[in-house]
Amino acid sequence: MNRVKQLIHEVHRRSLWQVLGIYVVGGWVVFEVVQTATEGLGLPQWFPAFAALLLLIGLPVVLATAFVQEGIGTTAEPRSVEVAASTDEPQPASGARTLFTWRNAILGGGGAFALWGVVAAGWMLLGGTVAAPEQGEAGTEDDLARAIAVLPFANLSTDEENAFFADGIHEDILTQLSKVADLTVISRTSVLTYRESSKTLREIGDELGVGSIVEGSVRRSGDDVRITAQLIDAETDQHIWADNFDRGLTAANVFGIQTEIARQIAAALRATLSAEEETRIAHVPTTDLSAYDLYIRGREAYQRYVADDNEEAIRLFREAISIDSGYAEPWAGLADAYSQRVQFFGYPIEWADSAEALARYAIELNPEAAPGFKALALSASMRGRTRAALEANLEAIARDPNHHAAANNAGFAYFSLGRYDEAIRWYKRSARLNPGSFGAANTMTVYALVGDEDIARRMYAERVNRESLAPVRRVNFGIILELYARNPSAALRRADAGRTEFSDIPLFLAFDAAVRTAVGDLEGARESAERAFELSPGASLRVLYYDLQTYLGYAMMRTGAEAEGRALLADRGVSIRSQLAAGADRPSFLWELASIHAALGESEEAVRLATQARDLGFQPAVGYVEIEPMMESVRDDPRIVAMFEDSRREIEEQRRRIEAEEIAAGER
């Protein structure tokens, strides 16, 4: 008992409690610094544990030092032998007094954490950082959890005709979630591939790069509707949230359920909703259920991008408008379908003018909805109004941050303006939101154009050629890759391989004509161009920098039909000038016009127009334009040579910026 009391007395006398308190506080501060450094430098999660181990080892050392040195702030000089002999206190050996000094303790602590720093620095220098997320994937656990895939809702209605209604509910819930900037919502195009999939949720989550998955069902019966939804952790298959909604079948109830589901999912994932987002997801676009039915049927038809279905979509949108003329979405849908008539189905450019008027009316009806702005952007793009299209796409994204089509189209606008480092950001965003569409292929195109050929080829092999893109699209993007990589013979091989399989597809034939023009096979170019015009009379098929009519006119000039070819080129020149006079500002239009004048032997006008195109932002893929023959007559002009050199420098600067951003983001 006396020894216990004596020990307690010594603990108090030597200030061990004070030393312990100071060490705990100091250790906590050090540990917080270590955790912050670990997160900031991307170090493995065992580094804080390593630091904690060093702190635990240091604790007995510090306590022993305090005991030997009799507390804090003393040197504990040895007392005389006489005094020491007169007490019962245990005396430390002289070796311990020499070893356990405050100087040694401080040096030891500094050395221990110097060791931690050396290990951390060595880890980073030797490339041992934690695995970076793939391009466009969420980088943190919270980001991954807030990345959502809404799988197609099951149709539990007894009437199979109501399948379209379940699909419409699915798309609208997805769209409501898409309006929340704090969430990353995978597009409907990508999730539809999992409608009948036997893959596990974890496999789907891994493939789409999401941490959360929404499943649900719709039962429509008479005057009632029941919608169920559940939010599931893709990694653990655990339910995060689930609910059933039984309501009378009215438009207000359907939209109310969609809003409630979006709010509850956002809350379950701790996503922040701004006041503007609250307003947007609470908006009721129509009070007429039949108008809503017609609209979602029209939307389904439009998204098939087939001529007959596009016409069916137009009919359905018009019918919806006849029922509720204040319903903004069908007006926007009608505008989109009119623009598609121009883009894919051979209608004259005047339909894009009508599309603009319809889109502006949709915006007037609901200025807080994205569809009107997206439709306005498409109509502007059809007429070569690149800056107007970019502005409208950015407005659509401001209202729907997960709008993959608007993101891709914003990328195209920046690409058209020669701002490839800006374009690739939007293309990557589109690829993140819609892994199965054009975003990855367009990203690949930028890499090829700026000179990162290895990355471009890897992307083509790993993503573009394995995506849900139609086979003809894969071939076309393969042709672009080879031409931008200045490998025309490989581009020709790809075109030859597709010529039999895709001989009835005008867009492929336009690419084939472009390849054959580049390699000097002008007979083959003429054959493909004429076949494309035969299949799609009047279609405006634009490939690389030229319209199909330009390729055909040049090929005819060089293959024995000079008068006809000159007439076609002159007619195309008039058309371009008309578009420029009407507000077109796409720089490649001026380059095409310059090429036409060069082909017609009007060199000075060709150089003037090429310089004007460059001033507007035209950034040629130098490797391609140096082998493409239409500018052959002026290619050695010092002004054109200087332009190419200037473009090379700018493209290299952009390549370096892309590389630096990707390194900083952990993508390389």
Side-chain angles (χ1 to χ4, degrees):
M1 182 64 72
N2 288 335
R3 285 192 173 276
V4 173
K5 289 181 178 179
Q6 186 179 356
L7 179 60
I8 294 172
H9 171 72
E10 285 301 311
V11 167
H12 284 291
R13 190 175 71 77
R14 298 172 189 268
S15 304
L16 293 190
W17 296 117
Q18 185 179 358
V19 171
L20 179 62
I22 293 172
Y23 187 83
V24 169
V25 173
W28 176 78
V29 172
V30 170
F31 189 72
E32 287 295 312
V33 171
V34 166
Q35 283 193 308
T36 301
T38 297
E39 294 173 3
L41 298 175
L43 297 172
Q45 292 304 307
W46 54 264
F47 267 69
F50 178 33
L53 177 63
L54 293 176
L55 289 168
L56 288 173
I57 293 173
L59 178 58
V61 174
V62 169
L63 291 177
T65 302
F67 189 84
V68 170
Q69 300 299 320
E70 299 190 356
I72 299 173
T74 69
T75 57
E77 293 294 332
R79 294 175 291 172
S80 67
V81 175
E82 291 82 0
V83 174
S86 66
T87 70
D88 293 329
E89 295 177 14
Q91 298 300 312
S94 59
R97 286 182 175 277
T98 304
L99 177 63
F100 291 106
T101 66
W102 287 117
R103 179 175 178 275
N104 287 350
I106 292 170
L107 288 175
F113 282 94
L115 172 64
W116 185 91
V118 168
V119 173
W123 180 272
M124 290 186 291
L125 289 174
L126 293 174
T129 54
V130 291
E134 289 186 14
Q135 216 171 67
E137 286 193 359
T140 69
E141 193 172 326
D142 281 347
D143 288 340
L144 188 62
R146 291 182 188 137
I148 305 176
V150 184
L151 299 184
F153 276 32
N155 173 37
L156 301 183
S157 306
T158 54
D159 183 0
E160 282 299 317
E161 285 296 313
N162 279 324
F164 82 90
F165 183 74
D167 286 343
I169 295 294
H170 165 247
E171 182 165 357
D172 284 339
I173 289 173
L174 190 152
T175 300
Q176 293 290 68
L177 290 167
S178 182
K179 296 173 185 176
V180 182
D182 217 12
L183 299 175
T184 297
V185 184
I186 302 301
S187 75
R188 184 168 184 264
T189 306
S190 291
V191 298
L192 282 178
T193 61
Y194 297 98
R195 185 189 293 276
E196 303 294 336
S197 176
S198 60
K199 293 180 179 179
T200 66
L201 294 185
R202 183 170 184 173
E203 289 172 331
I204 295 172
D206 287 343
E207 290 179 8
L208 295 176
V210 300
S212 302
I213 290 178
V214 178
E215 292 184 317
S217 64
V218 178
R219 184 187 298 276
R220 179 175 177 175
S221 178
D223 294 331
D224 297 309
V225 64
R226 177 176 186 151
I227 300 174
T228 68
Q230 51 192 352
L231 177 66
I232 304 166
D233 185 312
E235 178 71 18
T236 64
D237 208 20
Q238 297 296 309
H239 282 66
I240 302 171
W241 165 87
D243 208 343
N244 298 320
F245 302 88
D246 293 288
R247 306 281 169 82
L249 187 56
T250 67
N253 283 343
V254 168
F255 292 123
I257 293 171
Q258 293 168 2
T259 298
E260 195 170 341
I261 289 173
R263 281 180 177 150
Q264 292 195 32
I265 289 174
L269 295 175
R270 299 189 299 278
T272 302
L273 275 172
S274 69
E276 292 83 2
E277 289 165 352
E278 281 277 7
T279 300
R280 287 170 191 149
I281 67 173
H283 176 71
V284 177
T286 182
T287 57
D288 195 295
L289 192 62
S290 59
Y292 175 70
D293 279 353
L294 288 163
Y295 169 66
I296 60 178
R297 286 178 185 268
R299 187 172 60 188
E300 285 288 319
Y302 169 81
Q303 291 170 347
R304 288 191 282 272
Y305 300 106
V306 175
D308 289 345
D309 289 327
N310 196 67
E311 294 306 303
E312 175 67 4
I314 289 172
R315 184 187 69 78
L316 291 165
F317 290 145
R318 285 172 173 167
E319 226 179 303
I321 290 167
S322 70
I323 295 172
D324 183 356
S325 60
Y327 188 7
E329 278 74 2
W331 289 100
L334 192 57
D336 272 334
Y338 281 5
S339 290
Q340 295 297 357
R341 277 179 165 178
V342 176
Q343 184 170 24
F344 291 122
F345 308 127
Y347 281 68
I349 194 67
E350 287 76 18
W351 284 97
D353 295 330
S354 298
E356 179 186 359
L358 294 170
R360 290 193 181 281
Y361 188 63
I363 293 169
E364 182 182 329
L365 290 172
N366 186 3
E368 289 304 309
F373 287 99
K374 185 264 180 185
L376 180 64
L378 184 58
S379 70
S381 183
M382 290 304 96
R383 292 168 298 160
R385 298 179 181 178
T386 303
R387 289 171 176 81
L390 175 59
E391 181 182 347
N393 277 312
L394 294 178
E395 291 287 353
I397 292 166
R399 290 154 178 78
D400 182 350
N402 291 283
H403 202 307
H404 74 91
N408 184 74
N409 293 344
F412 176 74
Y414 280 119
F415 187 92
S416 300
L417 295 171
R419 296 165 64 180
Y420 304 129
D421 51 345
E422 290 282 356
I424 201 169
R425 294 189 190 112
W426 289 105
Y427 283 154
K428 287 181 185 176
R429 178 63 177 163
S430 179
R432 171 74 176 112
L433 297 171
N434 189 5
S437 192
F438 295 113
N442 288 330
T443 303
M444 176 215 73
T445 299
V446 176
Y447 283 128
L449 192 149
V450 301
D452 278 327
E453 184 179 343
D454 289 344
I455 298 176
R457 291 193 180 281
R458 188 166 64 248
M459 281 200 72
Y460 184 80
E462 295 177 358
R463 299 190 64 183
V464 178
N465 206 32
R466 298 182 181 181
E467 285 182 349
S468 59
L469 288 179
V472 66
R473 297 283 188 178
R474 298 177 197 173
V475 172
N476 289 346
F477 276 109
I479 289 171
I480 292 173
L481 168 63
E482 300 299 352
L483 288 178
Y484 282 168
R486 205 173 183 178
N487 194 356
S489 59
L492 183 59
R493 286 194 296 273
R494 290 185 185 273
D496 284 342
R499 229 179 180 205
T500 300
E501 185 177 358
F502 308 123
S503 60
D504 289 335
I505 299 180
L507 186 60
F508 166 77
L509 292 168
F511 271 99
D512 190 65
V515 173
R516 294 181 192 283
T517 301
V519 301
D521 176 16
L522 295 174
E523 290 284 357
R526 178 177 174 179
E527 179 186 336
S528 290
E530 287 179 335
R531 175 63 175 156
F533 272 121
E534 178 186 334
L535 292 169
S536 187
S540 180
L541 294 171
R542 191 169 183 79
V543 172
L544 300 174
Y545 300 131
Y546 304 132
D547 186 86
L548 179 63
Q549 182 175 334
T550 299
Y551 287 115
L552 178 59
Y554 181 74
M556 292 180 73
M557 269 187 64
R558 300 287 298 274
T559 57
E562 184 172 357
E564 295 93 328
R566 280 181 169 275
L568 278 176
L569 289 179
D571 181 68
R572 176 59 186 159
V574 170
S575 176
I576 293 173
R577 290 183 185 278
S578 175
Q579 287 179 276
L580 292 170
D585 59 3
R586 185 173 298 164
S588 64
F589 280 6
L590 281 164
W591 181 264
E592 182 181 6
L593 193 57
S595 298
I596 288 172
H597 281 280
L600 294 173
E602 300 162 356
S603 299
E604 196 58 35
E605 180 68 358
V607 173
R608 186 188 73 80
L609 289 165
T611 303
Q612 192 176 346
R614 185 80 178 96
D615 291 342
L616 276 178
F618 183 68
Q619 197 78 274
V622 179
Y624 168 68
V625 297
E626 285 182 337
I627 61 172
E628 191 279 312
M630 288 190 64
M631 290 287 284
E632 189 172 5
S633 64
V634 297
R635 188 168 289 126
D636 294 332
D637 186 290
R639 292 166 291 182
I640 298 296
V641 171
M643 179 189 300
F644 285 172
E645 287 302 318
D646 182 51
S647 190
R648 277 194 187 90
R649 284 191 297 272
E650 285 195 19
I651 289 174
E652 175 58 20
E653 288 174 7
Q654 293 192 40
R655 189 199 66 77
R656 289 174 181 168
R657 285 198 292 272
I658 292 168
E659 181 181 32
E661 286 182 14
E662 291 180 349
I663 289 172
E667 295 175 1
R668 292 202 194 189

